[in-house]
Amino acid sequence: MTVALDYGQFTLSGNLDDDPDFTTILQDAHVDAHIASTDHTVLVLVPHQNNFRMPLRVEVWAAPPPRDFGHWEEIFECALAVDGGELWYGSPTLASRPCEVPDGRYGVRICGRGFVNRGWPGSATPGDVWRVQLWPSRRNLPDRRIRAWHPPVTGPVPQAG
């Protein structure tokens, strides 16, 4: 599906009746890992400030998916519960979008690529893409950032003296 991202963050929610304290989740995400979650909600901080036509693929697997980390620039993992048969994507001030997902407790891998800059990407449609993979998990996976994208170094390259 194609979604919109603003304010450099998005959420995935497995239950819209759950009312998490987004201020606390956002603060927790800023501490280190750029990801924080509650039982039904995960918040991810992303490199781009916005992308108003962002491709997002949601995959449900029967077991943990292959670790194809070489194809992705940002990678996160956490745990998430889905109740009500829908996973909701959201970003501040923008409409949320549902995706059908069977009820259950999941391990979640969130991967992104195609970044051009940290913060303002120079366009409202910079071209980054995201994938969310879910698989049944009884373990409570900790929020963790597996890979972080680093912007390319710009400017003059220092010369050896």
Side-chain angles (χ1 to χ4, degrees):
M1 66 179 154
T2 301
V3 295
L5 167 84
D6 207 1
Y7 291 91
Q9 61 185 281
F10 66 82
T11 58
L12 301 171
S13 180
N15 184 336
L16 287 183
D17 293 333
D18 186 38
D19 192 19
D21 179 356
F22 283 105
T23 302
T24 300
I25 296 172
L26 181 60
Q27 288 171 342
D28 290 348
H30 274 287
V31 169
D32 183 39
H34 287 222
I35 184 172
S37 69
T38 64
D39 196 42
H40 290 95
T41 301
V42 59
L43 181 140
V44 179
L45 300 176
V46 304
H48 286 161
Q49 175 183 331
N50 55 19
N51 184 347
F52 296 117
R53 278 196 288 172
M54 187 175 80
L56 174 70
R57 180 180 175 92
V58 177
E59 304 172 353
V60 179
W61 291 71
R67 298 169 63 99
D68 63 347
F69 293 175
H71 300 284
W72 300 94
E73 298 169 320
E74 285 275 345
I75 305 171
F76 303 92
E77 282 187 346
C78 66
L80 187 68
V82 174
D83 299 323
E86 292 180 317
L87 179 68
W88 287 83
Y89 167 90
S91 190
T93 73
L94 302 169
S96 296
R97 295 278 308 275
C99 179
E100 283 188 39
V101 171
D103 287 355
R105 181 121 188 106
Y106 292 97
V108 181
R109 186 173 302 140
I110 303 163
C111 305
R113 66 179 172 221
F115 307 111
V116 296
N117 193 25
R118 189 160 301 283
W120 170 243
S123 159
T125 56
D128 53 315
V129 299
W130 289 84
R131 179 185 70 188
V132 175
Q133 297 173 308
L134 300 106
W135 64 94
S137 178
R138 294 175 198 248
R139 292 182 27 218
N140 190 17
L141 297 174
D143 300 339
R144 68 185 186 130
R145 188 181 201 180
I146 296 170
R147 176 171 290 158
W149 176 77
H150 299 285
V153 176
T154 59
V157 176
Q159 299 295 317

